[in-house]
Amino acid sequence: MDRFLRYVRIDTQSAEDADTYPSTEKQLDLSRLLVDELHAIGLTDAALTEHGYVLATLPGAAGAPVVGLIAHVDTTPETPGGGVEPIVHEAYDGAPIVLPGDPTQVLDPVEEPELAARVGHDIVTSDGTTLLGADDKAGVAEIMAALEYLAAHPEPAHATVRVAFTVDEEVGLGAHHFDLDEFGAEVGYTLDGSGLGELEIETFSARAVRITIRGRGAHPGSAKGKLVNSVKLAADLIAALPRDALSPETTDGREGFVHPSRISGSVEETVVALIVRDHDDGKLEEHTALVRRLAAELEAREPRARVTVDATDTYSNMRAAIDRHPRVVAAAEEAIRRAGVEPVRSLIRGGTDGAVLSAMGLPTPNIFTGGQNYHSLREWASVQDMSAAAATVVELARVWAEPAA
Ligand SMILES: [Zn+2]
C-alpha cells in the first residue's frame, strides 16, 4: 500500500497526438523512481531505455523459461490525473463512500456489488477531483512488491523474471518501441486487469477510423446555392449510426461497436474520429464496411462534398496467439489458485500492451490488479485484492521454475 500511495501521487498522464515518445516527459518521473527502487531491491541491471521503458532482471533458476512481467506507468488523459490525493478507507464499513473533494462523487455499494463484497477491506480512492491511478499503478506496485519478496526469499526456486514498466499505454502506444529480443522473455504477463482472480486472454480487435468531410465555404449572407456545410453533413453521418446496438453504451460481452469519439471542424471541413471494436475480426470488417457505406451515401446525397475514410488497425485480439501456448494460461491459473483465489477467465472489452506483444510473438495474457472503475473519478482499489495480485506474481515466478505438468 505504501508503494501504491507513493506512485499514485506522481502525475504520469500521457497525452493524445503528441510528437514525442513518451507523449509526456512527466511519466518518466515515476519511471526514474522505479529504477532507483529496483536497484534498492537488488535488481542491479535496472535501467531506463532510450524510449522510457524501465527494464530489469531478477535472476532465477537456470533452464526455466524467462517470465516477463509488464505494467504501464502512465494514466489516462481522459480524466483529470494530476495532484492525486489518495484516501485510505480502512476496514470499509459497507456504507456509501462520499469523496470529500467533490461530494457529488459517491461510491455506492448498492450500485457496485464489487464494493459491497469488500466490507472489512482497506479501500483506496482519490478525493473525487481526479482519477486514482490504480490503472496501472496497482500493477506497478504489485510487481515491485513481488520482486522485493522474491529477492529476499530465493527458496523455493523461481524462474528468471524480466520486468518492463512501459509508457503511453493509455494512448495505445505502450508497446510501440518494445524490443522483444532485448526483453528476452519467453512468456509475458501484463498486470493491468481489474477484479480479483480475473485472467484475461482475449482483447478486442481494434481499428481507428477517421472520416474527413470537405464542404464549401461561402459568406452566409450570400450563400444561397453555394454553401455546403460540412458540420451539418457530419451531424447527418453520426445520426445515421445505430444507437440501440453497436454502441459502447448499449453493448457488453462479445458485442462490438462503432463509436464516434471526437468531432472537430467548421463549415469547410469536419473530421469525425471513430473507434471500431470487435472480438471477431470478420465482424470488425463488417463494422468498418458500415462506416464506409454511410460515408458513401452521404457523398451520394451531396455530390459537392468530398468524404474520405481512413482506417488504421490499432491492435488485434490476442486469443489466437495465446491459444498456441496453453501453459501460459495454465501457469497463471495455478498461480492465482496458490494465492488463495479462484481464477476467472474473462475477456477484455479493450486492449492491453499484451495484445500488441502477443501479435509480435510474446504470448501475454492479463492478470487482475484489484483496481475498479478505471478512467473515472470514482476509481478505487482494495489493498487486500492488490496483495492477492502481488502474491499471484510471486507464485507465478515459482510455478514457471517447476517442470511442465
Ligand atoms: Zn491500464
Side-chain angles (χ1 to χ4, degrees), residues 72 74 135-136 169-170 192 374-375:
H72 62 91
D74 65 313
D135 179 8
D136 184 24
E169 193 273 349
E170 296 290 1
D192 195 15
Y374 285 170
H375 300 196

Side-chain angles (χ1 to χ4, degrees), residues 246-298:
L246 223 58
S247 303
E249 61 271 34
T250 56
T251 53
D252 60 10
R254 285 188 177 278
E255 300 168 308
F257 55 74
V258 173
H259 174 50
S261 57
R262 202 175 342 162
I263 180 164
S264 59
S266 54
V267 170
E268 287 268 7
E269 181 177 291
T270 300
V271 175
V272 181
L274 303 101
I275 62 170
V276 180
R277 301 285 187 267
D278 208 288
H279 291 99
D280 179 313
D281 288 349
K283 287 185 180 161
L284 189 76
E285 293 300 337
E286 288 174 24
H287 305 333
T288 311
L290 167 70
V291 174
R292 289 188 187 281
R293 182 164 56 75
L294 292 174
E297 286 171 6
L298 193 68

Side-chain angles (χ1 to χ4, degrees), residues 358-371:
S358 295
M360 288 162 65
L362 181 70
T364 308
N366 190 30
I367 294 175
F368 73 95
T369 64

Side-chain angles (χ1 to χ4, degrees), residues 22 44 57 70 106 120 122 162 170 177 181 188 228 234 307-308 332 336 359:
T44 51
T57 312
I70 301 148
V106 179
D122 302 318
R162 280 285 277 167
E170 296 290 1
H177 290 286
D181 291 331
V228 178
V307 185
T308 54
I336 293 170

Side-chain angles (χ1 to χ4, degrees), residues 152-222:
H153 300 82
E155 296 294 330
H158 60 79
T160 294
V161 176
R162 280 285 277 167
V163 186
F165 295 123
T166 60
V167 290
D168 280 348
E169 193 273 349
E170 296 290 1
V171 292
L173 296 172
H176 201 60
H177 290 286
F178 207 99
D179 182 336
L180 282 191
D181 291 331
E182 184 183 19
F183 193 44
E186 282 141 90
V187 296
Y189 298 90
T190 48
L191 268 282
D192 195 15
S194 184
L196 183 70
E198 284 179 356
L199 177 67
E200 294 169 319
I201 57 174
E202 263 195 79
T203 57
F204 271 145
S205 287
R207 193 167 274 170
V209 178
R210 185 185 166 91
I211 302 173
T212 306
I213 305 168
R214 289 190 189 82
R216 255 185 223 179
H219 188 286
S222 54

